[in-house]
């Protein structure tokens, strides 16, 4: 099957979750069938389109690994082409110039509203040889068939029928000659050989209009699949109110692109009850039949769960590359790559995001600022003094400094003081990391290193001594 899909964002804002999912579905469909995925920037709204938004979209796609085979095309670079098509449609009588003034259209609309009719153009200039007499600068309208109906076979919605009487003669070129959305989309889809249009169902009402234009151009229809929207937990369309919606914000919050893709593919599509997909499985299984008919609900908890799965299983080199910037942002020196990897490995099961991982890894780098107050109060008590003091002495000369040997040492000290391992491990953990949560005590000691262990134990012992004195 010849497959060409496209992702045509309007660069008027960031790449949000909903558009990223649309891009992903188009990308997967193209990859699955060995087709082409086209990126097109629909920047005809010059006031709202910005280069910054273009950059953010390109960055977001690159971060997600959604590579395109063609483009990016920019609609603003294709105005001549749209003008030529418009001129041809006018010449063939499939479109016409409309000279109606803004005032006339306003009066018309108001009258329709009062009569509780759908506001629509009344065809005043459609077959009116005197229309030009007003001297108003004309727009170009498409001559929509007034009878009959358009039947759309939608991959998600099934058959959708729209009566042509519901539609009006839409503007395809404004009075300044600039083309409108429905024309540019159709011309581009035809020129770019698009075979499958997979897009949000907020565009479903444009589809019959676009099909009419396609037919006027004598082009074949692509396959349509209109995917349901994404809602927030409150059932309302996902928006800024629901928190992060920009893809790059998820990057900044410590999500892995693989995890976000996996989350997005399941947000509105399923393959049995499988939740985690390798890239090969995603491209191998994705199909339009699996797309759900009802709106999806965004669930941050589930995204966190998937992120944690990927943090656990991603090959180290990849995980390190994604994690390193977050460590740097947490003020950690990442120049020792082997050490960074050892710390990341110790934290794999302990963090839902890379930001959390970096935060929790601070004790393994540099100096310890202070003990967590609650943890110190709870665990650094006078009773912990003697075993910690003994241990501190033995750590001075401990060799080798390996998790195994450190484990044996802590056990030995616990036994000598007739304490359960936990009774010494917890105070020790607070002493060397400042908090009551860290990887296993042997790995923790190993990662903190001798010098810092001794220094921090001294501080903890001083704290305990002060408490003892005060008691
Ligand atoms: N530029 C449109 C948008 O961002 C895309 C429309 C389409 O997929 O045809 O919503």
């Amino acid at each position: 099957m010849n497959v060409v899909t496209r992702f045509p964002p309007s660069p008027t804002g960031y790449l949000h979750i909903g558009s990223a999912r649309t891009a992903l579905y188009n990308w997967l469909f193209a990859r699955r069938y060995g087709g082409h995925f086209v990126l097109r920037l629909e920047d005809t709204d010059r006031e709202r389109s910005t280069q910054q938004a273009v950059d953010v979209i390109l960055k977001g796609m690159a971060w997600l690994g959604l590579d395109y085979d063609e483009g990016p095309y920019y609609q603003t670079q294709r105005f001549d082409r749209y003008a030529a098509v418009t001129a041809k449609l006018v010449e063939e009588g499939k479109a016409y110039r409309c000279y109606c003034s803004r005032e006339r259209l306003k009066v018309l609309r108001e009258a329709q509203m009062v009569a509780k009719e759908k506001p629509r153009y009344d065809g005043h200039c459609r077959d009116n040889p005197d229309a030009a007499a007003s001297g108003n600068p004309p727009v170009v309208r498409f001559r929509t068939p007034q009878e009959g109906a358009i039947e759309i076979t939608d991959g998600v919605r099934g058959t959708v029928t729209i009566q042509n009487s519901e539609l009006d003669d839409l503007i395809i070129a404004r009075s300044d000659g600039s083309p409108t959305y429905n024309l540019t989309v159709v011309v581009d889809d035809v020129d770019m050989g698009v075979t499958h249009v997979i897009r949000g169902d907020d565009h479903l009402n444009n589809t019959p209009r676009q099909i009419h234009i396609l037919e006027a151009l004598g082009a074949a229809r692509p396959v349509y699949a209109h995917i349901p929207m994404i809602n927030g937990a409150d059932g309302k369309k996902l928006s800024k109110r629901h928190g992060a919606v920009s893809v790059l914000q998820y990057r900044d919050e410590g999500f892995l692109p693989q995890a976000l893709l996996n989350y997005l593919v399941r947000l509105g599509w399923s393959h049995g009850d499988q939740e985690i997909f390798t890239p090969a499985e995603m491209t191998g299984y994705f199909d339009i039949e699996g797309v759900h008919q009802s709106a999806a609900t965004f669930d941050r908890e589930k995204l966190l769960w998937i992120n944690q799965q990927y943090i656990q299983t991603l090959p180290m080199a990849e995980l390190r590359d994604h994690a390193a910037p977050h460590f740097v942002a947490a003020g950690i020196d990442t120049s020792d790559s082997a050490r960074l990897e050892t710390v990341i490995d110790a934290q794999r099961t302990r963090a839902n995001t890379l930001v959390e991982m970096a935060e929790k890894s601070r004790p393994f780098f540099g100096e310890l600022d202070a003990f967590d107050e609650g943890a110190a109060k709870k665990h650094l008590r006078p009773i912990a003094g003697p075993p910690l003091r003994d241990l501190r002495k033995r750590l001075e000369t401990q060799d080798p400094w390996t998790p195994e040997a450190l484990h044996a040492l802590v056990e030995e000290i616990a036994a000598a003081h007739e304490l359960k391992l936990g009774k010494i491990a917890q105070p020790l953990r607070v002493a060397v990391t400042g908090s009551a949560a860290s990887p296993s005590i042997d790995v923790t000691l190993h990662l903190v290193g001798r010098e810092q262990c001794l220094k921090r134990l001294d501080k903890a012992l001083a704290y305990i001594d002060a408490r003892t004195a005060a008691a």
Side-chain angles (χ1 to χ4, degrees), residues 96 108 112 118-124 126 141-152 160-171 182 203-215 221:
Y96 61 91
L108 175 66
Q112 287 167 335
K118 195 161 129 188
R120 61 208 305 281
Y121 182 60
D122 62 354
H124 181 75
R126 191 177 168 110
R141 289 186 185 270
F142 182 74
R143 190 184 290 271
T144 305
Q146 291 173 308
E147 259 125 58
I150 284 279
E151 196 167 279
I152 308 164
V160 181
T161 307
I162 295 101
Q163 298 301 323
N164 289 335
S165 56
E166 292 283 311
L167 309 171
D168 63 358
D169 289 348
L170 73 147
I171 296 173
N182 280 300
H203 284 290
L204 189 58
N205 63 348
N206 287 317
T207 305
R209 302 173 200 279
Q210 293 177 9
I211 290 175
H212 281 308
I213 300 175
L214 267 174
E215 287 177 353
R221 275 195 209 186

Side-chain angles (χ1 to χ4, degrees), residues 73-268:
Y73 294 111
Y74 292 83
Q75 288 190 324
T76 43
Q77 291 173 7
R78 292 174 46 77
F79 274 23
D80 290 350
R81 171 73 183 134
Y82 308 132
V85 171
T86 302
K88 185 159 176 285
L89 288 172
V90 171
E91 198 176 298
E92 291 171 354
K94 294 172 178 166
Y96 61 91
R97 292 195 180 83
C98 166
Y99 297 85
C100 290
S101 64
R102 273 176 203 275
E103 293 70 45
R104 181 181 182 276
L105 295 175
K106 188 165 167 251
V107 170
L108 175 66
R109 194 166 46 242
E110 280 165 0
Q112 287 167 335
M113 305 264 266
V114 169
K116 299 219 176 329
E117 287 169 14
K118 195 161 129 188
R120 61 208 305 281
Y121 182 60
D122 62 354
H124 181 75
C125 297
R126 191 177 168 110
D127 292 305
N128 180 356
D130 303 326
S134 73
N136 294 326
V139 298
V140 178
R141 289 186 185 270
F142 182 74
R143 190 184 290 271
T144 305
Q146 291 173 308
E147 259 125 58
I150 284 279
E151 196 167 279
I152 308 164
T153 313
D154 187 85
V156 178
R157 294 293 197 99
T159 304
V160 181
T161 307
I162 295 101
Q163 298 301 323
N164 289 335
S165 56
E166 292 283 311
L167 309 171
D168 63 358
D169 289 348
L170 73 147
I171 296 173
I172 57 174
R174 301 183 187 93
S175 55
D176 64 1
S178 64
T180 61
Y181 162 70
N182 280 300
L183 180 84
T184 57
V185 163
V186 173
V187 173
D188 288 352
D189 284 350
V190 172
D191 287 356
M192 295 165 196
V194 171
T195 60
H196 292 74
V197 170
I198 305 171
R199 63 183 172 194
D201 65 8
D202 50 337
H203 284 290
L204 189 58
N205 63 348
N206 287 317
T207 305
R209 302 173 200 279
Q210 293 177 9
I211 290 175
H212 281 308
I213 300 175
L214 267 174
E215 287 177 353
L217 298 177
R221 275 195 209 186
V223 172
Y224 291 97
H226 288 90
I227 52 183
M229 297 282 97
I230 302 173
N231 291 334
D234 57 0
K236 303 217 173 83
K237 192 175 166 215
L238 196 67
S239 74
K240 274 194 201 157
R241 280 182 302 112
H242 296 97
V245 283
S246 153
V247 161
L248 291 176
Q249 195 172 334
Y250 283 93
R251 178 197 63 187
D252 298 344
E253 289 180 7
F255 288 88
L256 286 163
Q258 298 85 340
L260 189 57
L261 283 184
N262 195 140
Y263 178 70
L264 288 178
V265 77
R266 281 286 290 105
L267 191 60

Side-chain angles (χ1 to χ4, degrees), residues 333-406:
D333 173 5
T334 55
S335 51
D336 182 345
S337 186
R339 175 161 173 73
L340 180 64
E341 288 189 10
T342 314
V343 172
I344 290 175
D345 209 36
Q347 302 282 31
R348 266 187 195 268
T349 57
R350 309 184 51 81
N352 288 330
T353 69
L354 299 174
V355 167
E356 190 188 338
M357 177 187 275
E359 283 301 323
K360 286 184 166 172
S361 300
R362 279 180 201 266
F364 304 127
F365 299 87
E367 302 288 327
L368 185 66
D369 296 336
F371 301 120
D372 172 84
E373 224 174 282
K377 237 187 196 136
K378 182 159 178 215
H379 298 288
L380 297 182
R381 290 186 292 151
I383 193 176
L388 287 189
R389 201 169 307 268
D390 268 4
L391 186 72
R392 189 225 174 272
K393 185 138 199 54
R394 294 283 299 275
L395 287 176
E396 268 179 42
T397 51
Q398 171 62 34
D399 186 41
W401 194 271
T402 60
E404 297 74 26
L406 289 162

Side-chain angles (χ1 to χ4, degrees), residues 381-396 413 417 424 428 454 457-458 460-466 468:
R381 290 186 292 151
I383 193 176
L388 287 189
R389 201 169 307 268
D390 268 4
L391 186 72
R392 189 225 174 272
K393 185 138 199 54
R394 294 283 299 275
L395 287 176
E396 268 179 42
I413 304 277
H417 288 261
I424 176 165
L428 181 53
L454 296 179
L457 272 164
D458 284 342
L461 287 165
Y463 177 95
I464 291 172
D465 287 347
T468 313

Side-chain angles (χ1 to χ4, degrees), residues 12-26:
T12 54
Y14 42 62
L15 179 65
H16 58 78
I17 286 291
S19 330
R21 183 188 61 164
T22 302
L24 172 64
Y25 285 10
N26 280 283

Side-chain angles (χ1 to χ4, degrees), residues 50-62:
T50 63
Q51 185 56 42
Q52 194 192 357
V54 171
D55 294 343
V56 165
I57 289 168
L58 297 180
K59 235 186 192 167
M61 292 189 63

